[in-house]
Structures are given as structure tokens and as C-alpha cells.
Amino acid sequence: MQSPDQLLSLKNVRKTFPGVKALNGVSLDLKRGEVHALVGENGAGKSTLMKILVGVHTMDEGEIFINGQPVQIRSVHHARQLGISIIYQELSLIPQLTVAQNIFLNEEPQRIAGVLDERQTIRRTLSLLDEYQIGLNPNTPVSQLRIAERQLTEIIKAVSLGTNILVMDEPTSSLTFDEAENLFRIVNVLRDRGVGIIYISHRMDEIERLANRISILRDGQLVGTFQAGEISQQRVVSLMVGRELELADSKHRASSVKRDTTPALEVRGLSRKGILHDIALSIYPGEILGMAGLMGSGRSEIARALIGIDSIDKGEIRIYGEPAHIHNPAEALKMGIAMVPEDRHRFGLVMSHSVEDNLVLPLLPYKTRMGVLSRLRLREVANTSIKQMNIVPPNPAQLVKLLSGGNQQKVVLGKWLAGSPRILILDEPTMGVDVGAKAQIHDLIRSLANDGLAVLMISSDMPELIAMSHRIIVLCNGTICGEFLQNDVTQEKIMAQIMQYSRSAGIN
Amino acid sequence: MNPEPKIQTSTHKTASGGTAVRLVLVQTRMRQWIIYLALIALMIGFAFASPQFLTLSNLLNIARQTAVVCIVGFAMTFVLTAGEIDLSIGAVTALSSVAASYILRDGGNWVVASLAGLGAGLAFGLFNGLLTTKARIPSFLVTLGTMGIARGIALTVTGTLTIVFINDSFTEFWGAGDIGPIPVLVIWMVFVFAITYFIFKHTIIGRYVAATGGNLMAARFSGVNTDLIKLLALAMSGLASGLAGLLITARLYSGRPYVGEGLELDVIAAVILGGTSLFGGRGTIVGTLVGAFIIGVLNNGLILIGIGTNVQMIIKGVIIIAAVLFAEKMT
């Protein structure tokens, strides 16, 4: 049953990270001269699968065959030797070296052992660039290249290594229309030469143009592999997000919101050059406003601008009708806005400090007399938060780095709730959190909203967003491109809105 | 095709997490205990090796010699805990010494002279802080540069010569003499210890310093003005270096452009030895005191048992590396 043009086959790949089943028995194959599109939502397992293929992660279970031979991919270097290369979203060239030096990094032509042959390096680079009709100067340092040009350099580098399995991860995400066209041309040339390409993208029109087959991943499982001509875009999107939406717990949704009063937060014309364009939104007391969008669409950037971490070029912010000028998070908290940032390791917690030290940090200015700390009052604040958030174990002296992910996230939440904010911004509040803690966090947010807190919730977890929000706005490339009410929203509608926007943006 | 539950529950993890916590808490405390024990062990060892070691006059001598490292070390504890470093302290000490001595030699008021020394220190500290926070140059490079600048100014204006002066008020106030049996230098050390210990442990500044060094972005998101905290820490070490310059000047009855050479290394060694993290986020003033005394006792004891300064350098180097290696194992 092994067809001769079968290049690669992954069978039953399983991978578990602490607390998360990332891949649950995924099988995928790739033929010579094929573009195989791999689609799925953020967190569906695409990246994990590709990282296993290129030797960054090792799988827990499963088999990999290359040209019918079973292989154990031990490292990135080993994957390269097997002819597998990946073009990353964030590129992996050395900026100080030239195009030619990067292409032949670690494979430098040498005159005698150890002595570099610069002329040969440049000659061979030129012939590769000519072959693919790429107009680049081999002597230009990579730091002076645009993103698209760096990407082409990476592709040429992969080709020069004899790659026949090429993984492209969101290759057009930062390209202009013309640059993307050029990339498609090169993808087609590579395909004609028999290279197999795994192409990851959110953009349906690209996939329709390029792909021979489409595989859809959801929640770490393969939903199916389809011939490109046999499936509609609409169907791909609904398979990506899953048909049965888990709205079971939406009946516990916070009670309805009165929108005839002054909004708790009103934003008009918020702009930050190149990132946010003319954002307008309002949140009413007791309302949970969800914010959907792809990574990099500007969701976190709105949150950061609201609490003054990033400066804004233009825009007006009103809090309960009062104009607010916020320059830093301390001022935001004073005005009653608290933000639970994404990625607790980077932005949320001081991992080497205790639960108490983390919990009380934003509150210190309010819990001191002339700057002198009162241990007793701080301990009291910490114990109250630990009880409210149900942090396990309930020990304020515990170092946060030793807590489970869910409990760490409760510390991050507790740290901001202890200041009794009027407006709460949540950026990915349940990412990497186990089911139990997730439910507790959801209950807490709902009960706070019932008590009148206005909540802005950013999440890539769409069932969560739909179950929690009274209203959802959709962000595309730094602008609001859609808005849905709770009784009128589905994952398909949100995804379709995003796809439609990126399609029209691509053509313009 | 029901999606599998994405995430497993983690109840069993918290249980084993609990024991790990206790272990780490014990370990951090043990680390602190071990440096106390190391100091005591060293003292017992030297007491057996040399009959002079445990005499009151020798112990006070050690305290006097260690005072300067302690005082600058207390300030350096803030700097390192905030995730920065100050290499200019030795050179700034010399500049302070030279500035104060010039005014005293020319018959100036001793209070003015003292303020000049402290002011020179504070000015350099603020300069270091502003370049680090506003120009975003790493403090390692900023203070490497100001180390050269301060030392260069001190050497140039003095023409490398010693400035001699006579001013009893100055020398008595800043630590030449004794009050009863206690050297004034030691009183200064205790005074600075009390202030810095209080600020570090019991005020908002200490907490903010640790948060800034522990996770800069998390501190900023929590409303901490991290630039101000770094500026404050570097200003403190500048001011402490200015003070150290006055103390040394008083003790030598003269200003010398060469004083404080290599002081930065002794100070950083003492602070790290005491248990403060070189990478920020964790610090201890008491630890710095003990770390400085370990180095002080070593210096003194090795001389008493007849080991020359050349070999002393080797032994000190080995001990510092061993201590840091040990600290990495423990935390």
C-alpha cells in the first residue's frame, strides 16, 4: 500500500505536555510534488506536530516514515540531514551575516580544511538565486533585508541543503500582496521539482489556490484529510471550529446587561501607528465583552494601550463618563482599571517570589504607611485572596514557581482583583490551565460581572469566549471588523468574519 | 467525533508540589545558615591557628577593615537585587576622597567638604542611573565607563599625589577615632546597616527592588515604576561610595586617588557570598554583612597565620567560586 511517491508519513503521533494533551493520535502523509495544507485554530496542535517533524520536540508515541523507511528524528540537525526544513514565522537567520554567508552557514565551501572560499560561496549563492529568479545581492547583510526577502533567503538555504520536505508556517502573515504572489510562484516551482510542502495558514483563499490536499486539526486530533477540490471553504472553517459548540454552560451566563446607563468604559478613536486603527468600544457595568481575533490582530495591544503600558497616538478614553488620561498601570489601577496580562511567566508573576509577595505587589502603595510595610496587613490581604481564589495549597509563603498552572493563574487574577477594580481586562485568562481551575475562574468572572464589574475578555479559546461573553467584537489587523450579540454568535460566524476580512485585505 | 478533554486534572501534582516546596524552603534557609556556619567555622579555625585572632583588638580591627566593604555592599545589595550592577564604586570612592580633601587642605569647612564627597558620589550614582534607565545602556557598560571617568578625574586633578590636610573635626566624625572601645567606623557601619536593612525589608522600596529584578515586565504591569527603582538603587550605591570615600579619607588623614582600587570586586563578592542573586530578584542585607565578614576574617586570619597577600588572592578566588557554585546547587 506504500505508493512510490509517498515522501513522508506520520502515524498515530501522540504528545502530552504537563497538563495538556497536545496531540492525540494524529496521522498525516505527504507526497512528492504536493502542497499539503494544514489548518486548525490556535492551539489545535499544528505547531506541536510540525515541531515533532523538525526535531524540536520528541513524540510520546507514534511512527514517522520517510520514503517508506521508519526514522527516529533526534534533533533539528538530524531532521535537516533527512531533508526536512521549516520556514518559521519568526525567522532564524543571523542578521549580521550576509545572504550568502547565511545560506551556506555550517556548509561553507572551503579551499582547504578550515579556510573559507568566499568567492565560491558567492558564486554558488548567485546561481541558486538565478535559478529561482530572486533578485537579491549575496553580499547584503540579512539585517538590511525586508521580511519577505529574509524568507526567500531561508527558502534558498533550505533548498541548498537538499530539502525535499519543506514546512511553511504562516508564510504570508507579514507579506504584502506582491510579496505573497512572488512566494506563491516559488512554492509552485518547488512543487514542480518534486518537493513536498506542508503549508500552514489561516488564509482560506491561499489554501484554495495552492493546496493539493487539506488536513484539518482540532483539539489535537485529525478531523480529516480532503482533496482540495472536494471541500468548500465554508466546510473547512466549520470543521476547524467543530460543529457542536459547547454552549452547555452558557445558561449560567451572567444576567443580562442594562445598556441605557453610562458605560463603565468608553473608547473612541484609539490609534497607535501601524498597530491599532480607530478603535471604538464601550463596556457597560456588569457586562462581559469578548474580544476575538487571530494572534497579532491587535487584541493584546488594545489592552496594553488601555492601561498605559503602550502609549497611544490618538484616542479618547472615558471611565464612567470621566475622561481618563492613563500613562502607566499604576494610574490605571487608581482609575479602577486592572489588567490580567497574557503569559503569566513573562508578564504576570515574579516566579521566584512567594504567593503573598506576588498577590500584594500592585496594592503596596495602598497598604503602606509612609512607605513602611505592615506585615500583618499584607498577610491579611494575601490570605483573603487565597481564600477568594481558592489557591491550593493555601500557603502565602509558597513560591509561585512551585504551583500548578491553574493555581498560578489564580494568583495572577487574585493580584488584580484584590484592588477591587471597576473594570477588569483579561488577556487569555485560562491559557494552559486545567479543566477544574478553568471552571473556577469562569465562575468567578461571572459572579464578579453579576456584582457590576465591567469585563473585557480576550481569548483564543472560542467556546470559552462564546460561553462567557454578552457581546463579542472581532479584531482584524488592528481594526474592529465585526460585532456579535450573545444569542447570535457561532464560531463559524466569527471565523468567517476573520477570513473574509483577510481576504479583502489581501486583494486591496 | 467528540473532542477529548484537552487538559488533565492536576490534583496529584499539587500533592507532590507541597513536599517540593518544603524542601526548597528548607534549602533556602539552609543556605543562609550555612554562610553563618561558615563564618563561625572560619573564626574557630583561626582562633586555634593563632592566639592573637580572638583578642578584642583584633576583632575590632577586622570590623574596622570590613566596615567599608559592608557599607558599599549594603547599597550594592539593592543594585544587584534590582537586576543591575555598579562597577564604578571603587573609583567613585576615590573621587569622593579627593574632593573632600581638597576643600579641607584649603581650609574649608569640614561639613562642606563632607557634602562635597557625598555629593560627588550621589552625582555619579544618578548619572549611572539615568544612563541605565533613560539611554537604556546596560548598567554593566555604563558603570564600566564611569569607573574609568571617576578614577581618571581623581588621578588627573591630584597629579596622582596624596592630598594631606589637618582637620580634627572631619577625621573624628568620619571614623578615625573610637568611642570607648568601639571604632567610629564600626558605628557608621551599624548605622548604615540599620537603615538599609529597614528599607530593604520593611518598606515598599525593598519590595519594588526585588520585583523589578525578579521580573521586570511583571513589575511594570503591576504598576511599579521600574526605571525609578533602578535609578534609586544606583543612586544609593553612588551615595554609599561617597560615604565610603569620606570614611577612608578620615582614616588615612589624607585624600588619595588610588583608594578603593578593586573595592568593587570585594563588594560584589561579599554580596553574592551573602546569598543575593547576581541575576536579580533575591537579596539579603544580613547576608551581605556576613559575606563581608567572611572575606574580612579571611584577610585578617590568613595574615595572622603567615600566609602572604599573593596566596590570599588565590584562596579568596577559590572561596568565591565555591560559594557561587554552592548557591546554584541550593536554589
Side-chain angles (χ1 to χ4, degrees):
Chain A
M1 65 169 278
Q2 182 73 51
S3 75
D5 59 352
Q6 188 96 326
L7 201 51
L8 166 76
S9 138
L10 299 159
K11 291 212 167 106
N12 241 334
V13 175
R14 284 174 201 275
K15 175 79 185 173
T16 306
F17 293 111
V20 187
K21 213 168 246 175
L23 290 174
N24 197 358
V26 174
S27 299
L28 191 76
D29 67 294
L30 181 68
K31 298 192 179 101
R32 229 172 282 284
E34 171 187 53
V35 175
H36 192 145
L38 188 58
V39 300
E41 292 182 274
N42 295 337
K46 294 168 296 183
S47 300
T48 308
L49 187 63
M50 290 305 108
K51 281 182 177 161
I52 286 170
L53 178 61
V54 301
V56 175
H57 292 325
T58 49
M59 56 192 171
D60 299 338
E61 264 177 70
E63 290 170 293
I64 299 178
F65 297 88
I66 291 175
N67 297 321
Q69 300 297 314
V71 290
Q72 297 275 338
I73 297 173
R74 293 185 298 268
S75 66
V76 177
H77 186 67
H78 186 215
R80 283 257 157 106
Q81 289 174 333
L82 292 167
I84 306 168
S85 287
I86 185 165
I87 311 297
Y88 279 110
Q89 274 172 315
E90 67 278 17
L91 308 164
S92 53
L93 298 170
I94 298 174
Q96 292 83 358
L97 298 185
T98 66
V99 170
Q101 284 165 343
N102 265 293
I103 288 174
F104 287 99
L105 190 66
N106 227 356
E107 304 285 334
E108 290 87 354
Q110 296 173 6
R111 250 176 279 182
I112 48 168
V115 181
L116 298 177
D117 188 344
E118 288 284 343
R119 201 178 300 169
Q120 180 76 2
T121 308
I122 288 166
R123 195 178 308 137
R124 282 172 58 185
T125 304
L126 271 176
S127 82
L128 279 166
L129 291 172
D130 279 353
E131 202 178 323
Y132 290 89
Q133 298 174 32
I134 297 170
L136 277 181
N137 180 346
N139 287 320
T140 311
V142 162
S143 58
Q144 292 175 16
L145 299 181
R146 287 178 301 150
I147 299 267
E149 294 169 331
R150 292 183 197 199
Q151 199 176 42
L152 295 175
T153 308
E154 284 232 36
I155 294 171
I156 295 300
K157 179 175 174 176
V159 170
S160 81
L161 290 169
T163 293
N164 50 17
I165 298 167
L166 187 66
V167 181
M168 302 179 97
D169 190 357
E170 294 275 354
T172 56
S173 58
S174 11
L175 302 191
T176 66
F177 182 68
D178 289 340
E179 289 167 345
E181 285 297 321
N182 191 34
L183 182 74
F184 299 154
R185 178 180 66 76
I186 287 163
V187 168
N188 281 322
V189 172
L190 290 170
R191 173 181 16 213
D192 292 346
R193 296 187 174 197
V195 176
I197 296 166
I198 297 177
Y199 192 95
I200 299 176
S201 179
H202 283 297
R203 298 187 177 167
M204 285 301 136
D205 52 335
E206 278 174 23
I207 289 171
E208 199 166 73
R209 263 183 73 176
L210 291 174
N212 301 91
R213 286 189 298 163
I214 301 172
S215 284
I216 301 164
L217 281 184
R218 186 189 345 130
D219 296 334
Q221 286 180 313
L222 184 71
V223 178
T225 298
F226 304 90
Q227 291 296 327
E230 293 171 0
I231 186 166
S232 69
Q233 287 192 17
Q234 196 57 49
R235 177 101 181 107
V236 172
V237 171
S238 50
L239 286 175
M240 262 168 72
V241 298
R243 302 201 84 182
E244 307 85 26
L245 303 184
E246 296 163 282
L247 288 172
D249 62 350
S250 60
K251 60 177 177 287
H252 303 302
R253 203 193 299 267
S255 53
S256 64
V257 178
K258 288 199 194 91
R259 295 213 176 80
D260 51 4
T261 56
T262 318
L265 176 74
E266 194 176 7
V267 176
R268 270 195 228 139
L270 184 75
S271 299
R272 181 174 160 82
K273 197 163 181 283
I275 295 166
L276 299 173
H277 315 286
D278 201 19
I279 301 290
L281 57 86
S282 44
I283 313 173
Y284 292 84
E287 183 176 36
I288 301 175
L289 177 67
M291 213 192 288
L294 300 175
M295 279 180 202
S297 60
R299 297 173 305 175
S300 300
E301 286 73 11
I302 289 181
R304 291 167 63 108
L306 285 176
I307 61 155
I309 280 265
D310 294 343
S311 63
I312 54 176
D313 300 329
K314 263 193 310 195
E316 195 187 349
I317 299 170
R318 282 171 183 272
I319 294 167
Y320 283 94
E322 299 275 323
H325 302 280
I326 293 165
H327 303 97
N328 57 54
E331 283 178 18
L333 193 62
K334 212 177 280 171
M335 298 290 298
I337 306 186
M339 175 185 174
V340 176
E342 64 181 325
D343 195 342
R344 54 183 172 270
H345 288 268
R346 281 176 64 202
F347 304 120
L349 295 171
V350 184
M351 284 290 165
S352 59
H353 288 185
S354 70
V355 169
E356 174 176 324
D357 286 354
N358 274 285
L359 280 172
V360 302
L361 188 59
L363 284 180
L364 285 180
Y366 309 99
K367 297 290 168 192
T368 53
R369 215 166 280 144
M370 310 279 288
V372 179
L373 307 173
S374 154
R375 302 257 140 175
L376 239 57
R377 286 177 72 190
L378 294 181
R379 184 49 59 96
E380 209 178 283
V381 172
N383 278 329
T384 310
S385 284
I386 287 170
K387 199 175 283 173
Q388 185 197 6
M389 303 303 304
N390 192 17
I391 293 165
V392 182
N395 172 12
Q398 172 99 315
L399 300 182
V400 283
K401 66 178 165 198
L402 298 166
L403 295 179
S404 70
N407 281 295
Q408 287 179 352
Q409 192 63 21
K410 289 187 209 165
V411 175
V412 185
L413 271 163
K415 151 175 178 181
W416 291 112
L417 291 176
S420 311
R422 297 186 288 175
I423 298 159
L424 181 66
I425 304 171
L426 301 164
D427 195 351
E428 302 289 0
T430 60
M431 187 162 271
V433 156
D434 63 61
V435 175
K438 193 169 173 176
Q440 285 179 22
I441 289 171
H442 286 170
D443 287 346
L444 180 80
I445 295 170
R446 284 197 193 96
S447 81
L448 288 165
N450 276 334
D451 295 343
L453 186 72
V455 180
L456 176 62
M457 179 163 159
I458 300 169
S459 178
S460 299
D461 183 339
M462 262 198 258
E464 167 179 272
L465 208 57
I466 289 170
M468 295 287 298
S469 309
H470 295 102
R471 203 155 43 102
I472 292 177
I473 55 176
V474 184
L475 241 77
C476 306
N477 296 342
T479 57
I480 293 176
C481 60
E483 178 167 346
F484 299 95
L485 285 173
Q486 65 182 101
N487 45 17
D488 171 45
V489 64
T490 60
Q491 294 188 46
E492 281 103 331
K493 283 186 180 177
I494 294 175
M495 282 313 279
Q497 194 74 32
I498 292 172
M499 295 298 169
Q500 188 192 337
Y501 185 88
S502 41
R503 190 159 45 221
S504 57
I507 289 162
N508 293 332
Chain B
M1 202 178 293
N2 276 330
E4 287 252 324
K6 270 191 208 165
I7 297 157
Q8 305 166 320
T9 49
S10 58
T11 34
H12 62 282
K13 263 176 68 184
T14 38
S16 64
T19 37
V21 170
R22 237 166 284 131
L23 210 67
V24 165
L25 284 181
V26 168
Q27 280 179 349
T28 27
R29 262 185 234 126
M30 215 166 85
R31 203 193 114 66
Q32 231 35 55
W33 281 112
I34 278 173
I35 63 158
Y36 302 152
L37 291 178
L39 179 59
I40 292 167
L42 271 178
M43 293 182 71
I44 292 173
F46 282 128
F48 277 110
S50 161
Q52 292 144 282
F53 181 79
L54 265 192
T55 59
L56 182 65
S57 69
N58 188 54
L59 290 180
L60 287 174
N61 209 17
I62 293 173
R64 201 182 284 128
Q65 285 161 356
T66 309
V68 165
V69 171
C70 279
I71 288 169
V72 185
F74 298 147
M76 183 68 94
T77 306
F78 284 77
V79 177
L80 289 180
T81 305
E84 301 295 335
I85 198 164
D86 187 350
L87 299 175
S88 70
I89 48 179
V92 171
T93 299
L95 193 66
S96 156
S97 170
V98 167
S101 331
Y102 262 115
I103 294 174
L104 293 168
R105 188 196 65 184
D106 297 343
N109 181 296
W110 73 273
V111 177
V112 175
S114 306
L115 289 177
L118 293 174
L122 184 61
F124 260 85
L126 287 170
F127 186 62
N128 287 336
L130 287 172
L131 282 178
T132 303
T133 56
K134 299 296 171 222
R136 308 243 165 250
I137 308 170
S139 53
F140 184 91
L141 294 176
V142 169
T143 58
L144 194 65
T146 50
M147 171 167 84
I149 296 170
R151 180 72 66 191
I153 294 173
L155 288 168
T156 308
V157 297
T158 56
T160 74
L161 299 175
T162 299
I163 307 146
V164 183
F165 61 84
I166 296 171
N167 187 319
D168 289 343
S169 314
F170 180 87
T171 45
E172 271 163 29
F173 187 81
W174 292 116
D178 302 322
I179 294 178
I182 317 262
V184 176
L185 217 51
V186 174
I187 294 172
W188 276 113
M189 183 194 78
V190 172
F191 177 68
V192 176
F193 171 81
I195 293 176
T196 50
Y197 177 83
F198 180 75
I199 295 177
F200 196 85
K201 195 112 191 202
H202 294 287
T203 73
I204 196 166
I205 294 171
R207 289 295 178 91
Y208 278 2
V209 165
T212 299
N215 184 343
L216 185 75
M217 283 314 289
R220 281 188 62 201
F221 268 100
S222 305
V224 179
N225 186 341
T226 51
D227 280 353
L228 184 66
I229 290 298
K230 289 182 171 186
L231 177 67
L232 209 66
L234 284 162
M236 264 178 88
S237 78
L239 187 63
S241 307
L243 173 60
L246 299 180
L247 299 176
I248 296 170
T249 307
R251 227 180 127 210
L252 299 173
Y253 298 96
S254 59
R256 300 180 191 191
Y258 288 111
V259 299
E261 268 194 329
L263 179 66
E264 57 280 350
L265 300 181
D266 274 354
V267 166
I268 293 168
V271 176
I272 300 296
L273 206 55
T276 295
S277 167
L278 186 56
F279 309 106
R282 182 165 47 83
T284 146
I285 298 285
V286 178
T288 297
L289 180 74
V290 176
F293 267 88
I294 288 178
I295 292 179
V297 164
L298 268 176
N299 283 343
N300 175 279
L302 290 173
I303 290 174
L304 284 184
I305 61 175
I307 292 175
T309 43
N310 300 345
V311 180
Q312 270 186 41
M313 286 166 77
I314 300 173
I315 293 177
K316 263 162 58 181
V318 169
I319 286 183
I320 287 162
I321 292 173
V324 174
L325 204 66
F326 181 73
E328 293 301 311
K329 284 262 165 59
M330 279 292 173
T331 48

